[in-house]
Amino acid sequence: MAEKKSSEGKKLQEKLFMKKEHAMKLISEAEVKKADKFCEDYKKFLDSSKTEREAVINTINLAEKNGFTEFIPGKALKAGDKIYYNNRGKAIILAIIGTEPIENGVRIAAAHIDSPRLDMKQCPLYEDNEIALFKTHYYGGIKKYQWTAIPLSLHGVIVKADGTKVSVCIGEDEKDPVFCVTDLLPHLASAQMERKASQIIKGEELNILIGSRPFLDDDVSEKVKLNILNILFEKYGITEADFLSAELEAVPAFKAKDIGFDRSMIGSYGQDDRVCAYTALQATLVCKKPKKTIVTVLADKEEIGSDGNTGLNSSYLKYFIYDLAKAFGADGWRVLTNSECLSADVNAAFDPTFPDVNERHNAAYINKGVVVTKYTGSRGKSGTSDASAEFMGDVRRLLDKNKVIWQTGELGKVDAGGGGTVAMYIANLDVNVIDVGVPVLSMHAPYEITSKLDVYMAYRAFLAFMEE
Ligand code: MN
Ligand code: MN
């Protein structure tokens, strides 16, 4: 009797309980291989796209190879046309015109291609005790102490007095020098270690070491600074004043690598949110003859609140969709009202070393698939777009139908902190939006970690959404 009862219970459990299993248990060996292969190109993209500008350049290259051409406002469009719009070299929109009327709405995937980093100040260069340094202003939410004593590379552009622009990328090639923020030796850090963690390294202490040999001439002062400027003049033809009109960003010089004996994970700088940018981009590139028009936007400035004309709090996405609508004689607002969006951004993965910040029933875990996040925000869901049950239901059915391994996630315990994504800015355009992305360990650290299976499931999720 007891045995029969337990098997009935088991049946009932099978029917009524929700399962959350490791993706390996749910997919075939062949699909695991596909995921691993997919991630090889992903790592290359990470290494060559460490800034929003580089991500845009690489996206355009891939898009053009796949038949996308630059959007020309006013030019007639038809189903199957593939276009891209480059917003100031720092954000990009790709679109594939669908077979359905555009009034039915478009399908938007929105990821961001900026990541936390150290930006050079406008007057960055100085010499102190015969050491040359750059002053920085950090960009995005970082634990400042994590950015000392690691190799940094320098990326960006400098606009010279005559208006010509030079691109900079030093520290990525094996033969290049790298740069570094110094930290105190533990022997002399007793006062420093008494500071609060947020102050262990202060903002004004994030100074980057760039040189230490003097220009040999007794007639001049600041000889090390002069020597550095001389090197820069010879290489780029720039003077100190040209830093005034430059955007130079210091990022970790590490390359993306497999993590673990089983090579199941990827460690790299900038996976928030290039992991969603890359997977959404790949889905867009392979998507064939979609019914709904596909709009994939890779935005800038998310890490500082999406403000600025390349961030999604600006109107460029709206204007682009209005332009598409106009090409078909439709109203832009009607297109937006009928549109749906996956806000493609990462979520925090449960970390067994720091279990207390998560509520285990609602945390996201690595290897359990792409994370669907109904709401983010903080202090009682402030600063988020809380997706409706109906739209969540649509996304749930879509992922299940396409056998995408997925889970839900919440960004930490209630009142543990919080954060936001671009979801609310797109929701403000009267679009149905939900956050979908990859769980990440050590998010916003110089070296972030994802699971290969989750990366692949994000790609599968975006493709399913586009091809439905
Ligand atoms: Mn993000
Ligand atoms: Mn972020």
Side-chain angles (χ1 to χ4, degrees):
M1 282 300 280
E3 214 181 303
K4 195 188 165 206
K5 225 179 174 180
S6 94
S7 97
E8 259 176 32
K10 228 173 192 174
K11 269 187 215 159
L12 210 52
Q13 223 176 31
E14 192 74 16
K15 184 175 157 190
L16 300 179
F17 276 23
M18 184 168 67
K19 280 197 212 121
K20 288 182 179 178
E21 287 190 298
H22 196 293
M24 284 292 276
K25 288 192 192 157
L26 303 168
I27 63 174
S28 67
E29 211 175 297
E31 194 155 31
V32 175
K33 281 208 178 103
K34 271 191 204 167
D36 289 348
K37 189 166 173 263
F38 182 87
C39 287
E40 290 306 304
D41 284 336
Y42 169 49
K43 285 184 282 180
K44 284 179 205 151
F45 182 83
L46 285 170
D47 289 343
S48 60
S49 311
K50 289 198 176 179
T51 64
E52 60 284 357
R53 287 179 188 270
E54 291 171 359
V56 165
I57 291 167
N58 290 327
T59 298
I60 290 174
N61 282 340
L62 285 168
E64 287 184 343
K65 271 185 202 145
N66 284 275
F68 285 74
T69 57
E70 190 152 17
F71 172 59
I72 301 165
K75 197 181 158 190
L77 292 168
K78 59 178 190 313
D81 281 355
K82 299 173 173 184
I83 50 174
Y84 69 84
Y85 168 70
N86 174 354
N87 182 2
R88 300 167 169 89
K90 291 160 64 146
I92 184 163
I93 305 175
L94 295 100
I96 307 175
I97 305 303
T99 52
E100 279 187 22
I102 198 151
E103 289 91 329
N104 293 5
V106 300
R107 292 237 156 151
I108 304 166
H112 67 92
I113 46 177
D114 61 317
S115 296
R117 58 176 191 251
L118 305 180
D119 283 350
M120 297 318 111
K121 292 193 185 193
Q122 282 202 280
C123 302
L125 177 59
Y126 70 105
E127 174 178 340
D128 195 339
N129 281 281
E130 297 187 298
I131 292 177
L133 299 119
F134 274 156
K135 293 297 296 179
T136 70
H137 195 136
Y138 66 95
Y139 173 98
I142 62 167
K143 288 175 161 179
K144 295 187 272 291
Y145 65 81
Q146 291 181 331
W147 291 73
T148 66
I150 58 169
L152 299 170
S153 56
L154 204 61
H155 300 242
V157 295
I158 303 167
V159 176
K160 295 197 260 189
D162 65 0
T164 56
K165 188 160 78 174
V166 284
S167 288
V168 175
C169 178
I170 314 171
E172 295 298 335
D173 192 280
E174 277 308 310
K175 289 178 215 132
D176 283 353
V178 293
F179 308 91
C180 191
V181 175
T182 56
D183 197 356
L184 263 181
L185 61 169
H187 317 62
L188 298 180
S190 54
Q192 184 198 25
M193 298 308 278
E194 294 305 315
R195 297 183 191 171
K196 284 198 313 186
S198 61
Q199 299 283 315
I200 284 179
I201 292 293
K202 298 178 185 171
E204 292 295 351
E205 291 170 344
L206 289 167
N207 303 319
I208 298 180
L209 211 51
I210 55 160
S212 64
R213 283 187 184 172
F215 187 88
L216 294 176
D217 182 343
D218 288 339
D219 284 348
V220 295
S221 61
E222 299 182 285
K223 296 182 180 62
V224 178
K225 174 178 165 177
L226 180 62
N227 194 42
I228 294 292
L229 279 171
N230 192 34
I231 290 168
L232 292 175
F233 182 74
E234 280 172 4
K235 180 155 182 180
Y236 299 110
I238 61 160
T239 67
E240 187 179 11
D242 292 329
F243 286 124
L244 297 175
S245 45
E247 280 182 309
L248 292 172
E249 307 172 1
V251 300
F254 329 126
K255 302 279 184 234
K257 289 266 189 187
D258 289 349
I259 299 269
F261 291 116
D262 58 5
R263 297 179 168 263
S264 59
M265 298 164 281
I266 295 168
S268 170
Y269 165 68
Q271 297 202 73
D272 173 8
D273 183 36
R274 294 187 196 109
V275 66
C276 295
Y278 181 76
T279 47
L281 169 63
Q282 283 304 321
T284 311
L285 297 181
V286 305
C287 174
K288 297 258 159 14
K289 283 248 163 183
K291 286 196 212 99
K292 293 262 168 70
T293 291
I294 301 306
V295 175
T296 299
V297 52
L298 307 183
D300 182 28
K301 297 282 180 273
E302 194 277 342
E303 294 296 358
I304 55 169
S306 294
D307 292 321
N309 58 12
T310 51
L312 275 175
N313 202 7
S314 130
S315 297
Y316 70 95
L317 175 62
K318 181 172 84 177
Y319 292 161
F320 179 78
I321 290 173
Y322 272 51
D323 272 341
L324 291 187
K326 201 173 164 194
F328 294 96
D331 288 321
W333 60 267
R334 191 177 298 284
V335 175
L336 283 166
T337 298
N338 291 327
S339 292
E340 293 173 326
C341 171
L342 298 186
S343 165
D345 207 346
V346 299
N347 201 333
F350 175 86
D351 185 337
T353 305
F354 303 103
D356 297 345
V357 299
N358 286 298
E359 184 268 289
R360 64 193 174 92
H361 303 293
N362 286 285
Y365 297 83
I366 62 161
N367 287 312
K368 290 193 176 171
V370 65
V371 192
V372 181
T373 306
K374 189 172 176 291
Y375 53 85
T376 59
S378 54
R379 291 165 285 103
K381 298 190 176 181
S382 245
T384 185
S385 158
D386 193 350
S388 69
E390 289 83 354
F391 187 51
M392 177 69 206
D394 291 344
V395 172
R396 179 184 161 199
R397 277 194 303 283
L398 171 79
L399 297 179
D400 284 342
K401 193 175 86 187
N402 287 281
K403 296 194 167 58
V404 176
I405 311 301
W406 67 281
Q407 58 184 327
T408 56
E410 189 176 47
L411 186 60
K413 269 184 183 166
V414 176
D415 289 342
T421 65
V422 300
M424 60 178 169
Y425 302 111
I426 295 172
N428 288 346
L429 301 173
D430 196 23
V431 172
N432 272 332
V433 187
I434 196 162
D435 280 298
V436 175
V438 175
V440 176
L441 289 166
S442 302
M443 194 199 291
H444 282 208
Y447 208 57
E448 301 177 309
I449 293 164
T450 56
S451 135
K452 290 182 181 177
L453 297 179
D454 298 335
V455 173
Y456 187 63
M457 286 302 153
Y459 160 73
R460 293 267 328 275
F462 299 135
L463 188 58
F465 177 67
M466 291 170 188
E467 288 191 331
E468 191 190 29

